[in-house]
């Protein structure tokens, strides 16, 4: 392997490792945000909010690494598609970190943790979401298109279940409004 090929491989590996670390930080943020919402743990919610700053910083660092990779290696074909994919994954991971912050803020704002059907569905959707994040990163790191497709299917199921839960909650609220009248 030539010196240039070694550097290309090393730089690519460094970027992939940074993305894996970012994914782990985002997964932890989502877990903590949901746990703080479910338990009313305000300290964990505030901690989750504050830990978003390193996620944002790492997102910018990965972005710089990708642009530097392009400038140094002038990639084409597979490497260019990989870097393009990493840039998109990076944006989505940062967005998920922002969602974790939103969940944590709502957990601080509400008076009591969700219960009943909402609490049960939140538990189930949390497990599905974390599974989806783990599978997505694994599919990306191993370049496994079949695992990526199955993860997409899981995402579609989560969306369908979310729509069903929302409809049920709205129906129950309307029923309660009628009873209160």
């Amino acid at each position: 392997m030539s010196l240039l090929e070694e550097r290309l491989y090393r730089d690519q590996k460094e970027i992939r490792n940074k993305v894996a670390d970012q994914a782990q930080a985002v997964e932890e943020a989502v877990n903590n945000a949901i746990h703080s919402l479910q338990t009313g743990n305000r300290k964990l919610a505030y901690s989750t909010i504050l830990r978003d700053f390193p996620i944002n910083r790492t997102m910018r660092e990965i972005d710089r690494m990708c642009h530097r990779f392009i400038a140094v290696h002038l990639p084409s074909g597979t490497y260019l598609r990989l870097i393009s994919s990493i840039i998109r994954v990076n944006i989505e991971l940062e967005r998920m970190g922002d969602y974790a912050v939103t969940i944590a803020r709502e957990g601080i704002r509400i008076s009591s943790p969700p219960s009943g059907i909402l609490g049960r569905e939140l538990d189930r959707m949390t497990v599905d979401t974390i599974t989806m994040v783990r599978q997505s990163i694994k599919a990306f790191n191993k370049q496994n298109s079949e695992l990526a497709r199955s993860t997409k299917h899981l995402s579609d199921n989560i969306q369908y279940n979310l729509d069903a839960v929302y409809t049920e909650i709205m129906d129950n609220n309307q029923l309660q409004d009628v009873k209160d009248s």
Side-chain angles (χ1 to χ4, degrees):
M1 187 180 283
S2 74
L3 186 59
L4 290 175
E5 289 171 327
E6 285 178 22
R7 182 170 179 191
L8 180 102
Y9 178 76
R10 187 185 69 237
D11 289 351
Q12 173 200 337
K13 186 174 181 180
E14 182 182 1
I15 293 170
R16 282 177 165 279
N17 289 340
K18 187 61 86 171
V19 170
D21 292 346
Q22 178 79 320
Q24 186 174 359
V26 168
E27 180 183 330
E28 182 180 336
V30 170
N31 269 327
N32 288 344
I34 295 293
H35 184 70
S36 70
L37 176 69
Q38 291 170 319
T39 62
N41 184 337
R42 291 174 182 259
K43 185 176 178 181
L44 183 58
Y46 285 120
S47 173
T48 301
I49 293 166
L50 291 175
R51 288 184 182 159
D52 186 52
F53 294 111
I55 289 172
N56 292 341
R57 231 184 355 263
T58 301
M59 187 269 304
R60 289 188 297 276
E61 182 181 349
I62 292 169
D63 193 53
R64 280 192 299 274
M65 291 169 77
C66 288
H67 286 93
R68 185 173 53 240
F69 184 92
I70 291 168
V72 168
H73 299 289
L74 299 171
S76 63
T78 302
Y79 287 110
L80 187 57
R81 286 189 294 276
L82 172 66
I83 293 301
S84 177
S85 295
I86 288 172
I87 290 170
R88 288 191 300 264
V89 165
N90 189 35
I91 291 167
E92 293 304 319
L93 286 171
E94 193 274 335
R95 184 175 292 151
M96 289 172 65
D98 290 345
Y99 290 149
V101 167
T102 300
I103 292 167
R105 284 185 177 143
E106 289 302 313
I108 293 167
R109 208 171 64 77
I110 63 174
S111 59
S112 64
S115 60
I117 188 170
L118 184 58
R120 287 189 304 277
E121 286 301 312
L122 185 58
D123 289 342
R124 191 179 56 72
M125 288 176 53
T126 299
V127 170
D128 289 348
T129 300
I130 295 303
T131 299
M132 190 173 60
V133 170
R134 287 180 181 157
Q135 281 183 356
S136 296
I137 294 302
K138 185 176 180 180
F140 179 77
N141 285 334
K142 296 194 180 285
Q143 297 179 351
N144 183 329
S145 59
E146 189 56 41
L147 183 57
R149 276 191 285 281
S150 71
T151 304
K152 172 72 171 100
H153 182 68
L154 182 57
S155 172
D156 293 342
N157 286 340
I158 290 172
Q159 185 61 47
Y160 175 79
N161 291 335
L162 181 61
D163 291 344
V165 169
Y166 180 77
T167 299
E168 186 169 337
I169 290 169
M170 293 307 294
D171 290 347
N172 287 340
N173 283 342
Q174 288 174 353
L175 205 75
Q176 187 63 39
D177 289 344
V178 169
K179 287 180 183 178
D180 290 343
S181 300

